Amino acid sequence: MSKRQIFIDTETTGFLDDPTNRMIEFAGMEMINRQLTGNSLHLYIHPERDIPEDAVKVHGLTLEVLEEKNAPVFAAVGNQIADFIRDAEIIAHNAPFDEGFLNREFSKIGLPNVRELGCQVTDTLAMAREMFPGQKNSLDVLCNRFSIDRSKRVLHGALIDCELLADVYLAMTRQQFDLMGGANEES
């Protein structure tokens, strides 16, 4: 059986360098044998703090929006996230950011970090920088480069970003997969 791959994305109250910043949205989508399985996890999370206006401009999530969605605190959903990603290959764009936030949140509630959960982590931003050195490699740029429709993406959102990332990853690895003799299996 092939290893599970989970595309993940998070939205937060700010950057990782500020220890008071928290995760406010998590999304993960499972893929096995280069096929999305339909198994996914999408959660809004109450950060137990304010959300700076600069962050709201990126993802559109305010405390009021999260409260309307009855968003639980991380302690209430941390085990669910840990169970969902356990023993999978995590694929994220700028993975140190998402892994860092997951590790911080897991630590606060006494859970093991991402690697201790048996996860391997693949950073598509690092992959893109290797494939396209000296060029911009944001998720939007990669969608354009690989002709992936991103018209549904108005603001950053963990779920839509996972969907786009899955398409980008498949496009980025298609040649590698074909060279391994997988082209016949994929069709």
Side-chain angles (χ1 to χ4, degrees), residues 17-186:
D17 60 351
D18 179 346
T20 66
N21 279 324
R22 303 291 302 269
M23 186 182 305
I24 58 176
E25 186 181 12
F26 171 87
M29 297 175 60
E30 180 185 67
M31 182 172 74
I32 297 176
N33 294 328
R34 297 182 62 79
Q35 298 290 319
L36 292 173
T37 65
N39 186 16
S40 65
L41 179 63
H42 180 225
L43 301 164
Y44 291 101
I45 302 162
H46 195 291
E48 303 178 89
R49 58 152 288 172
D50 68 313
I51 303 173
E53 191 58 38
D54 286 348
V56 173
K57 287 178 185 172
V58 172
H59 48 61
L61 295 173
T62 63
L63 278 179
E64 294 76 24
V65 168
L66 294 174
E67 287 166 358
E68 284 172 18
K69 294 179 181 295
N70 294 316
V73 297
F74 191 87
V77 296
N79 280 312
Q80 187 179 2
I81 294 171
D83 289 343
F84 184 73
I85 67 170
R86 189 179 313 274
D87 297 323
E89 176 187 3
I90 301 301
I91 302 170
H93 199 70
N94 192 14
F97 179 86
D98 300 295
E99 181 180 9
F101 267 100
L102 280 170
N103 287 342
R104 178 185 292 166
E105 296 287 358
F106 287 156
S107 173
K108 287 179 189 252
I109 60 172
L111 288 174
N113 70 37
V114 169
R115 309 277 175 149
E116 292 167 343
L117 288 168
C119 298
Q120 171 189 339
V121 179
T122 298
D123 183 5
T124 54
L125 179 57
M127 289 172 62
R129 286 178 174 154
E130 194 172 303
M131 288 177 81
F132 309 106
Q135 297 180 41
K136 291 185 177 183
N137 288 299
S138 69
L139 189 56
D140 285 337
V141 167
L142 292 172
C143 285
N144 291 342
R145 192 172 288 146
F146 291 111
S147 302
I148 294 166
D149 178 15
R150 60 183 179 87
S151 60
K152 290 189 247 175
R153 184 182 194 232
V154 178
L155 295 169
H156 286 254
L159 191 58
I160 186 72
D161 287 0
C162 278
E163 292 170 3
L164 294 173
L165 181 59
D167 289 340
V168 165
Y169 176 81
L170 289 170
M172 288 174 67
T173 59
R174 184 163 289 124
Q175 184 177 15
Q176 175 186 10
F177 185 72
D178 290 349
L179 288 174
M180 295 180 343
N184 295 337
E185 295 168 25
E186 188 177 27

